[in-house]
Amino acid sequence: MRAALSLSARGEPVALAVLAGSEGGSVRDPGALMAVGESGAAAGYLSGGCIDADVAQRALNALKDRQPQRLRYGSGSPFFDIRLPCGGALDVVVDPAPDMAALARAAETLDKRNAATLDISTPDAAFTAHYRPKLRLRIAGRGADAVALTRLAAASGIDCRFQSPDADCLAEAEAAGLTALERLETPGAVPPSIDDAATAFVLMFHDPHWETPLLREALAGDAFYVGAVGSRTTHERRCGDLKAAGVAVEDITRVHGPIGLVPSMRDASMLAVSALAEIVGAFHAEADR
């Protein structure tokens, strides 16, 4: 969306290619976008590389003749020379004159961390594409585990906020490319939760005095995932501390622990991979509800 708006703002005609539907396996969900400028500049992708070059060329052709196109790749496609390894089919709509005002509204809505829709309308197709804010990760902690997860999140392009009382950990996170950093001062004055429904909160402290106030704040917010590092014994003790602090049982049961798809990881980098995989799985499960 932003690439299309940027090209258009410079006065360059832009075509928008939209994945309208899929059959069988697909790398992208319906609504995925590719923007193609008259200069050939392109952003976004609709497949794992099977059709993207052809879609970009057909988008350039659509810009030249100003005619929208409806394309089908894979099963039932007239393009016998383009095969989909998954054996399915992809339907694509190319709009050479997209509604830039509607695109700007959708982008602005997503920037505000709200779900957005985009109405696609051509003579051959009309449907509404749905978009949700991207995954955001908030990590509070210190030590190798916390730093490893922040590094992995940064390397994965995930919007990440790191909170720590440790200046060295904050410096390591900054060196990994994070800019959203916050120094935690005392357990009695933790910042209020600003998590939205597309945010996962992960507690990565091995200091019990930080756990209860940080988890209580996270549970009071809208995070779709709240998790905490530690063993099963640690998690049971942690849940008891939350109950003693007056946190409702139904909220306590929301806390994932021990975190990660693979239990008992004792290496910081492997724990980070395991935890992030669980978070991504939970994020997509929320989208399917």
Side-chain angles (χ1 to χ4, degrees), residues 2-71:
R2 292 175 183 83
L5 291 167
S6 177
L7 289 168
S8 179
R10 297 203 300 263
E12 182 170 343
V14 180
L16 202 62
V18 189
L19 184 61
S22 64
E23 297 175 9
S26 175
V27 173
R28 303 283 276 152
D29 289 326
L33 303 175
M34 175 188 284
V36 181
E38 190 176 50
S39 65
Y45 63 101
L46 306 184
S47 75
C50 315
I51 69 170
D52 294 328
D54 190 72
V55 170
Q57 183 57 55
R58 293 180 188 278
L60 285 173
N61 295 340
L63 282 170
K64 289 177 183 178
D65 60 26
R66 308 306 294 171
Q67 293 298 314
Q69 297 190 32
R70 188 174 183 112
L71 311 170

Side-chain angles (χ1 to χ4, degrees), residues 142-151 169 172 204 268-269 272:
R142 66 168 143 214
D145 293 344
V147 172
L149 185 56
T150 61
R151 283 176 173 162
C169 287
E172 288 188 64
M204 303 202 82
S269 60

